[in-house]
Amino acid sequence: GIQVEQSPPDLILQEGANSTLRCNFSDSVNNLQWFHQNPWGQLINLFYIPSGTKQNGRLSATTVATERYSLLYISSSQTTDSGVYFCAVEGSGTYKYIFGTGTRLKVLA
Amino acid sequence: DTEVTQTPKHLVMGMTNKKSLKCEQHMGHRAMYWYKQKAKKPPELMFVYSYEKLSINESVPSRFSPECPNSSLLNLHLHALQPEDSALYLCASSLRQRGEAFFGQGTRLTVV
């Protein structure tokens, strides 16, 4: 099945810093989502981005499906950005989302 | 409204108990999912329902029994669980079995 790797696995930032999270996948995909999992376990939708670039406030994402990766940019990070960031991909013809390995982000005040 | 509601939020059960997890959405979504998440791991797919029919079973043990009584409701019946089944159980839904998925807050299950 499709393999989804995220990097870095862990990231510590000072408040106000910028960061880039990466999601690599091993096969072609039909869909891709980015989620933020808060400390209570809730998965919050950030982007639904099978291809192209989207922006929402301090966050933006780019998916280059032909090169099998997606990037999540966080600018001017805040302590509330702390948590785990997952990408999830739907491999072509599979009709199911597989989650990446996750990036654990901690933003220090 | 993109809300998926799961109950209960926390559940402690003995290995001989029978319990059920409930998931509800009123977004008109026709695909619903159960995922299991162990501590410090990504969520893993268990079941997918599409138009109230079981579409995908990821070789889940029979002590987990899903049920989709109508298009808004998804249950997960639990019986004779083991302590290693303790995890966060997440429900999700999407308009079709391909498309943006929305997750509930999860049920944190402890098997004693």
Side-chain angles (χ1 to χ4, degrees):
Chain A
I2 193 168
Q3 304 297 312
V4 187
E5 296 287 332
Q6 291 184 240
S7 59
D10 296 280
L11 186 58
I12 300 175
L13 299 174
Q14 285 295 136
E15 204 168 25
N18 302 330
S19 61
T20 301
L21 282 56
R22 188 177 180 102
C23 171
N24 289 334
F25 38 95
S26 61
D27 208 343
S28 58
V29 299
N30 286 322
N31 287 304
L32 187 145
Q33 289 188 240
W34 282 98
F35 296 93
H36 175 212
Q37 189 166 40
N38 65 24
W40 298 272
Q42 172 87 54
L43 282 166
I44 299 162
N45 289 43
L46 297 177
F47 294 101
Y48 172 65
I49 186 166
S51 64
T53 297
K54 290 186 177 180
Q55 179 154 9
N56 185 2
R58 296 182 296 103
L59 303 182
S60 64
T62 295
T63 296
V64 185
T66 52
E67 297 187 20
R68 301 183 181 169
Y69 73 90
S70 183
L71 302 174
L72 178 69
Y73 305 95
I74 305 174
S75 65
S76 304
S77 56
Q78 301 174 356
T79 56
T80 51
D81 294 332
S82 296
V84 184
Y85 289 80
F86 288 107
C87 65
V89 304
E90 183 211 325
S92 293
T94 66
Y95 294 90
K96 60 185 181 183
Y97 277 102
I98 302 300
F99 278 75
T101 48
T103 291
R104 191 171 300 271
L105 173 65
K106 187 165 187 176
V107 181
L108 304 175
Chain B
D1 181 12
T2 55
E3 189 168 348
V4 177
T5 303
Q6 290 187 242
T7 53
K9 289 187 171 44
H10 300 273
L11 179 63
V12 179
M13 62 183 290
M15 289 188 284
T16 58
N17 291 159
K18 286 185 181 181
K19 296 286 185 184
S20 296
L21 310 184
K22 180 180 170 182
C23 174
E24 202 162 5
Q25 56 86 17
H26 297 286
M27 296 179 279
H29 288 178
R30 304 310 298 271
M32 296 186 77
Y33 313 79
W34 281 115
Y35 281 81
K36 173 182 177 178
Q37 187 178 22
K38 301 282 279 183
K40 299 191 185 302
K41 296 289 187 183
E44 293 181 345
L45 182 66
M46 300 175 73
F47 303 104
V48 180
Y49 272 82
S50 178
Y51 289 86
E52 296 97 68
K53 288 186 172 20
L54 184 63
S55 173
I56 294 175
N57 176 345
E58 293 286 86
S59 303
V60 178
S62 59
R63 57 186 185 269
F64 296 92
S65 176
E67 178 197 20
C68 189
N70 60 58
S71 60
S72 300
L73 190 56
L74 184 67
N75 298 320
L76 186 63
H77 302 298
L78 314 172
H79 172 55
L81 295 193
Q82 303 297 311
E84 57 264 29
D85 296 321
S86 299
L88 179 68
Y89 288 83
L90 294 160
C91 173
S93 71
S94 60
L95 188 61
R96 303 284 184 267
Q97 197 181 336
R98 170 167 290 171
E100 186 174 9
F102 297 88
F103 282 78
Q105 317 97 306
T107 294
R108 205 165 288 278
L109 173 68
T110 303
V111 182
V112 298

